[in-house]
Amino acid sequence: MKKLLCAVLSGIMVFSTFAVAVPITASAAESQESVSATYGDFEYTLEDDYTCTITKYNGSAANVTIPSTIYGNKVCKIGDWAFSKNLNLKNITLPNSITCIGWAAFHDCTKLEHINIPNSITYIGGGAFEDCAKLEHITIPNSVTYIGDAAFYGCTSLDNIVIPGGAKLSAQTTGSTFAECTNLKSVVIENGVTTIVQAIFENCVNLESVTIPNTVTEIYPLAFMGCTKLKSITIPKSVKTIVKTAGKAMGYYRDSDNNYIKIADFTIKGYKGTAAEEYAKENGFKFIALDVSEPTSVSLNKTSLTSDVGKSYTLTKTVSPSNAVTSYTWSSSNTSVATVDSNGKVTAKKAGTATITVKTSNGKTATCKVTVNLPAPQITGLANTTGGIKISWNKVDGAYGYRLYYKPASGGWKRFKDTTATSFTDSGVVPNKTETYTIRCIDKNGNTISGFNSTGWSKKYTPDAPTVSKLDITTGGIKLSWNKIAGVYGYRLYYKPASGGWKRFKDTTATSFTDSGVSPNRTETYTIRCIDKNGNTISGFNSNGWSKKYTPVAPTISKLENTSGGIKISWNKIAGVYGYRLYYKTSSGGWKRFKDTTATSFTDSGVSPNRTETYTIRCIDKNGNTVSGFYSRGWSKKYTPVAPTITRLSNTSKGVSVTWNKIAGVYGYRLYRKYDGGSWTKVKDTTSTSFTDSGAKKGKRVTYTVRCIDRKGKTVSGFNSKGWSITRK
C-alpha cells in the first residue's frame, strides 16, 4: 500500500469537470452510531438511513455474491478493507444496489479474476483493487464519478482501460491510479475528464496507445513515465499545462540510478503554440502539428443548467479542432423563461424551461436545456424537542413538496427527507452537536425545482429532560416508564433515599425499568436524566421527581402438580417481600393458614386421594405480618396419587425383597407379580413400603408392580404396566 499513504498526505487535483460529492460513511457524515451485525459470512453495519455497509467477509469461498438486501435493508456499500488480503476470492458479483466501493476494499486479493461493477456505482475508493494481480479485465461504468488514489495500482493482468467522462480521480501529489499495470496496452479517456493526474500510468511498460479527449486541460508529472512502448501521443489543444515541477510527464523512463532516459523516437502530435508544442521543444521530441481551419463540431460545457429566477450563468463553448476560425450566434427557444447574450450569458427570467443554442458560421450547433426554478424556501424556526430538532419553513407557492438537507462533518450537503409539510423533526441528532440545515422545493416526481440557501441555518441540540410517564406496581417491583429522547445513548435513573439528595441506581438504554429494590408500603421517589455512551449526563432532570407507594401485588399460583410427596404448589416471586403465607380452604369454606415460607414452592403432604384441595397465598414481612392481598377464589387441584416406583429388587434366603417409594396421602399398597407370558397376580396388601415375596418360583424370571390403595382396599392410583423384573434364585 505504498501509494495509499502518499495519496492521503497529498493535495487534491480534480479529474473531472463536475463537482461530485464523495460518499460519506454514517459515522463521519452524521456522527451517529451504526448498528453492527452478521449475515451469513458477512459482517455489516446498519447505517442511520437503514442501508447496509458490508464491513468484512469471513468466508473462504472462491465465488462470492453480495446480497442486494439484508433483512429488507438495501446493501449500498462495500466498506473500507472489507475483502482486503482475501486469498481465496476469485469471482465476486455486486448487486445494482451498491453505490460505493470503499478504501482498499479488495486490496491484495491476489486470486481475484473477475468483478462486475454495476451502473449503480459512483465511488471507487483509494487502493480499492491495489495489487489484484490476476484481475484481467474491468469495466468502469459511466455512473462512476470518483476513483481514488492507487485504486488499480499493480493490477498486472489488466490489458485495457476506459476512464468514463464523469470520473474524478483523486489527483494528489501521487495519483498512481493505474501505475505498475505492466500488461496494460491501451487506454481510452472519455470526454469530460479535465486532468491527467500525477503518475497515473507510471511504469505501464506495455502501454501502446492513449486517447486523450479535448476536455483535458492539465497533464501532471510522471503521468506516462516509464511507458516504454508508448512511442507517440496526441495532445489536444485544450491542454494548457503540462506540469514540470515534479518530473517529466512523458517520453522518458528512469534507470536504476533514477536518471531520466529518453524513449527513442518518441513523438508528440498537437497544435502550434500550445503546451504540447512547448513540451516537445523543451525535451527535444519530434512534434507533428495538427492545425486545421474549419470547425468539425462545437460543444458547451453544460448540456443542462438549473438556475433560480434573476440569476445568470455564462456557458462556455468549445470548438473542434481548437484552432478553427469561426463566428458564433446564440439563441433561446423561450426568451420569457431565459435569455442569452452574444457571450453565452444566460439570464433566468421566470420558472420553466428553455433551450439555449450556439451555432458556428458553418452550421455546427450545440444546445443546453435551461430549467428555471422557484424561489428557495427559508427556514423560519429551529427548536429543541424530545424528538430532536424541529425544523419549520415558509410555504412556497407552486411547490409540491420540500427536500431537506443537512451538512455532515465533511463534504457537501446531504439529502435526508422529502415531505409535503412545512415542518419536520430531525431525530438523527447528537447531543451538544450543532446541526446545519437547508431546504429546496420539489415537484411531485421528486425533481428539485428551486435553489437553496448555501449557508443554511444552524442549531445546537440540547436534549430535554426525560419525563416519567408511568409508575406501575408489578410482581417485580415498581416499573418506571419514560419518554424517549432523540439522539441520546441512554438514561440514568435516580431515587431519593430517606435522607439526603438524589442517589443514582441504574443506567439503561431502554425507556422502562423495574425497580426490584422496593419495600412494602414504602413510598419511592424517582427522577431521570439523559447520558451519552461514555456515561456523561447530557440533560437536566425534574428536581421534584415522581413518587409511588409500593404495595406488593398478591402472588399467583402458577402450577399445582401431583407428586409422590403430595400436591406441589408453585408461585411467582414478588419483589421486596420477606416470604409467603399459604392457605387451604376447609370443608366449611373458610381459609386456613398452614405454611409460611421464603421459597416460591411447597409440597402439601396432608392430602387425601381423590379429594380436591384449594389453595391461596399472600406476602408477609419478616415479622410475619401480611403485606399483600390474596386471590379469594384460590386455585384447585384434585389429588390423584401417582403410581409407586419400585426402587429395589433383591434375592434373599426368604424370597424376593421388593422396595418402593412412599406416596403421600394413601393408606397402603398392593403388590403384584407375573411370570413371562403370564398376567398380573396380587401378592400382598400392606401399609409398608417393602415386602419379601417367599412365593416367587425359583429359577423363574418374575416381574413386580405396585399401586396405592385406601383403607377399604380400593385402588387409588395407576401402576407401571411394564413392571420391574428379577430372576428368583
Side-chain angles (χ1 to χ4, degrees):
M1 290 292 286
K2 61 181 180 179
K3 295 294 182 183
L4 292 182
L5 180 59
C6 296
V8 173
L9 299 174
S10 57
I12 298 177
M13 302 175 188
V14 185
F15 203 97
S16 171
T17 58
F18 302 100
V20 180
V22 177
I24 304 296
T25 63
S27 59
E30 305 169 348
S31 299
Q32 308 247 356
E33 291 190 338
S34 300
V35 180
S36 297
T38 59
Y39 182 80
D41 291 327
F42 301 100
E43 295 183 16
Y44 72 96
T45 57
L46 182 61
E47 309 298 344
D48 215 47
D49 61 352
Y50 298 100
T51 63
C52 295
T53 297
I54 301 296
T55 58
K56 190 176 181 182
Y57 176 68
N58 296 313
S60 59
N63 303 307
V64 175
T65 298
I66 303 295
S68 60
T69 60
I70 295 178
Y71 302 121
N73 301 298
K74 188 181 290 186
V75 178
C76 290
K77 182 179 179 182
I78 306 299
D80 299 344
W81 307 94
F83 289 84
S84 179
K85 297 185 181 294
N86 188 310
L87 303 183
N88 297 311
L89 189 63
K90 289 185 177 182
N91 301 281
I92 187 159
T93 302
L94 305 182
N96 287 328
S97 61
I98 298 292
T99 62
C100 175
I101 297 174
W103 182 274
F106 298 95
H107 163 250
D108 212 16
C109 291
T110 56
K111 292 184 180 179
L112 181 62
E113 297 175 356
H114 178 265
I115 182 171
N116 68 303
I117 301 181
N119 284 325
S120 58
I121 296 288
T122 61
Y123 180 96
I124 299 175
F129 298 95
E130 185 177 349
D131 292 330
C132 291
K134 288 193 176 183
L135 190 62
E136 295 181 357
H137 180 73
I138 194 158
T139 299
I140 303 172
N142 290 330
S143 59
V144 171
T145 58
Y146 180 91
I147 305 175
D149 308 307
F152 297 93
Y153 181 95
C155 291
T156 54
S157 295
L158 284 180
D159 60 359
N160 69 87
I161 285 293
V162 177
I163 300 174
K168 177 178 75 173
L169 276 70
S170 184
Q172 289 93 337
T173 310
T174 55
S176 304
T177 315
F178 300 97
E180 302 294 339
C181 291
T182 54
N183 197 48
L184 189 63
K185 295 179 177 62
S186 68
V187 173
V188 175
I189 303 171
E190 294 185 341
N191 254 345
V193 176
T194 62
T195 302
I196 298 178
V197 302
Q198 182 163 319
I200 182 174
F201 300 111
E202 186 179 11
N203 291 332
C204 293
V205 295
N206 282 302
L207 184 61
E208 296 175 348
S209 68
V210 176
T211 300
I212 301 174
N214 59 14
T215 54
V216 171
T217 60
E218 294 179 301
I219 299 176
Y220 273 73
L222 309 179
F224 300 99
M225 174 60 63
C227 298
T228 53
K229 286 191 178 180
L230 188 65
K231 297 296 186 179
S232 72
I233 190 167
T234 300
I235 301 175
K237 193 174 183 178
S238 59
V239 176
K240 305 299 182 184
T241 305
I242 299 177
V243 182
K244 313 165 188 175
T245 55
K248 305 293 186 180
M250 67 196 80
Y252 292 86
Y253 68 93
R254 287 183 285 197
D255 63 15
S256 58
D257 296 320
N258 210 32
N259 298 311
Y260 287 97
I261 309 297
K262 284 186 180 180
I263 296 172
D265 301 320
F266 184 73
T267 301
I268 294 177
K269 299 177 182 180
Y271 298 87
K272 291 182 178 181
T274 64
E277 184 180 24
E278 180 183 353
Y279 184 88
K281 288 181 178 180
E282 287 180 350
N283 292 277
F285 294 132
K286 182 179 179 181
F287 180 76
I288 299 176
L290 301 174
D291 293 6
V292 295
S293 58
E294 275 292 311
T296 59
S297 67
V298 65
S299 62
L300 294 172
N301 64 315
K302 288 183 177 292
T303 58
S304 64
L305 173 66
T306 300
S307 183
D308 295 335
V309 173
K311 293 188 177 180
S312 298
Y313 180 85
T314 299
L315 292 169
T316 302
K317 62 186 181 304
T318 301
V319 68
S320 181
S322 59
N323 65 336
V325 178
T326 186
S327 60
Y328 305 91
T329 56
W330 295 84
S331 63
S332 170
S333 66
N334 191 341
T335 55
S336 66
V337 173
T339 61
V340 61
D341 66 14
S342 59
N343 295 314
K345 182 180 179 180
V346 179
T347 302
K349 296 295 186 181
K350 73 172 186 179
T353 60
T355 299
I356 304 300
T357 302
V358 63
K359 186 177 181 180
T360 68
S361 57
N362 68 336
K364 305 299 181 182
T365 61
T367 61
C368 175
K369 182 181 179 181
V370 177
T371 302
V372 179
N373 285 328
L374 296 174
Q378 303 295 305
I379 290 178
T380 57
L382 293 171
N384 285 322
T385 70
T386 58
I389 296 177
K390 183 179 180 181
I391 311 159
S392 303
W393 57 91
N394 66 304
K395 183 179 180 180
V396 178
D397 291 337
Y400 172 77
Y402 308 90
R403 182 162 291 158
L404 286 167
Y405 301 81
Y406 75 95
K407 187 168 282 186
S410 61
W413 292 104
K414 189 170 182 180
R415 164 185 171 182
F416 77 101
K417 180 65 180 180
D418 288 0
T419 178
T420 57
T422 55
S423 66
F424 176 75
T425 299
D426 178 16
S427 61
V429 290
V430 176
N432 300 317
K433 177 186 169 188
T434 296
E435 302 288 351
T436 301
Y437 305 96
T438 197
I439 188 169
R440 63 196 310 181
C441 300
I442 58 172
D443 63 20
K444 61 182 175 182
N445 297 316
N447 303 309
T448 55
I449 53 174
S450 81
F452 64 98
N453 183 308
S454 60
T455 303
W457 293 263
S458 299
K459 179 74 174 180
K460 183 178 181 179
Y461 177 60
T462 305
D464 285 352
T467 298
V468 174
S469 57
K470 194 182 289 186
L471 291 171
D472 293 319
I473 293 175
T474 69
T475 58
I478 297 177
K479 183 180 179 180
L480 296 79
S481 302
W482 57 91
N483 61 317
K484 184 177 180 180
I485 305 296
V488 305
Y489 175 75
Y491 308 90
R492 181 161 291 157
L493 294 171
Y494 300 82
Y495 75 93
K496 188 169 281 186
S499 61
W502 293 105
K503 189 170 181 179
R504 165 185 171 183
F505 77 101
K506 180 65 181 181
D507 288 358
T508 179
T509 57
T511 55
S512 65
F513 177 74
T514 300
D515 178 17
S516 61
V518 290
S519 295
N521 301 316
R522 189 177 75 190
T523 297
E524 302 287 353
T525 302
Y526 305 96
T527 196
I528 188 169
R529 65 197 308 182
C530 302
I531 58 172
D532 62 21
K533 62 182 175 182
N534 297 314
N536 302 310
T537 55
I538 51 176
S539 79
F541 63 99
N542 184 308
S543 59
N544 293 323
W546 293 265
S547 299
K548 184 76 173 182
K549 183 178 180 179
Y550 178 61
T551 304
V553 298
T556 298
I557 291 178
S558 55
K559 192 183 286 186
L560 291 171
E561 299 175 278
N562 285 322
T563 71
S564 61
I567 297 177
K568 183 179 179 181
I569 311 159
S570 301
W571 58 91
N572 61 316
K573 185 178 180 179
I574 306 298
V577 304
Y578 175 75
Y580 309 91
R581 182 161 289 157
L582 287 167
Y583 300 81
Y584 72 91
K585 188 167 282 188
T586 64
S587 58
S588 61
W591 292 109
K592 187 170 182 178
R593 164 185 171 183
F594 77 101
K595 181 65 180 180
D596 288 357
T597 179
T598 58
T600 56
S601 66
F602 177 74
T603 300
D604 179 15
S605 61
V607 290
S608 297
N610 299 316
R611 189 178 76 190
T612 297
E613 302 287 351
T614 302
Y615 305 95
T616 196
I617 189 169
R618 64 195 310 181
C619 301
I620 58 173
D621 62 20
K622 63 175 63 182
N623 298 316
N625 301 311
T626 55
V627 291
S628 79
F630 65 97
Y631 182 57
S632 60
R633 291 186 180 181
W635 293 264
S636 299
K637 181 74 174 180
K638 183 178 181 179
Y639 178 61
T640 303
V642 298
T645 299
I646 292 177
T647 58
R648 186 179 180 188
L649 288 173
S650 62
N651 281 295
T652 71
S653 59
K654 295 181 179 181
V656 177
S657 176
V658 188
T659 304
W660 55 90
N661 64 316
K662 184 178 180 179
I663 305 299
V666 303
Y667 173 75
Y669 309 92
R670 182 165 290 159
L671 181 66
Y672 300 83
R673 85 159 88 89
K674 72 175 179 178
Y675 299 99
D676 290 348
S679 57
W680 291 111
T681 302
K682 174 182 172 182
V683 177
K684 179 69 176 179
D685 287 353
T686 179
T687 57
S688 178
T689 55
S690 65
F691 179 75
T692 299
D693 180 17
S694 61
K697 297 178 181 179
K698 291 185 178 182
K700 295 288 186 178
R701 185 173 180 267
V702 60
T703 302
Y704 295 92
T705 195
V706 63
R707 63 195 308 180
C708 302
I709 59 173
D710 61 18
R711 62 180 61 249
K712 295 179 180 180
K714 185 180 179 180
T715 56
V716 291
S717 79
F719 64 98
N720 185 305
S721 61
K722 290 184 179 181
W724 291 263
S725 300
I726 191 172
T727 299
R728 170 77 163 100
K729 294 182 178 179

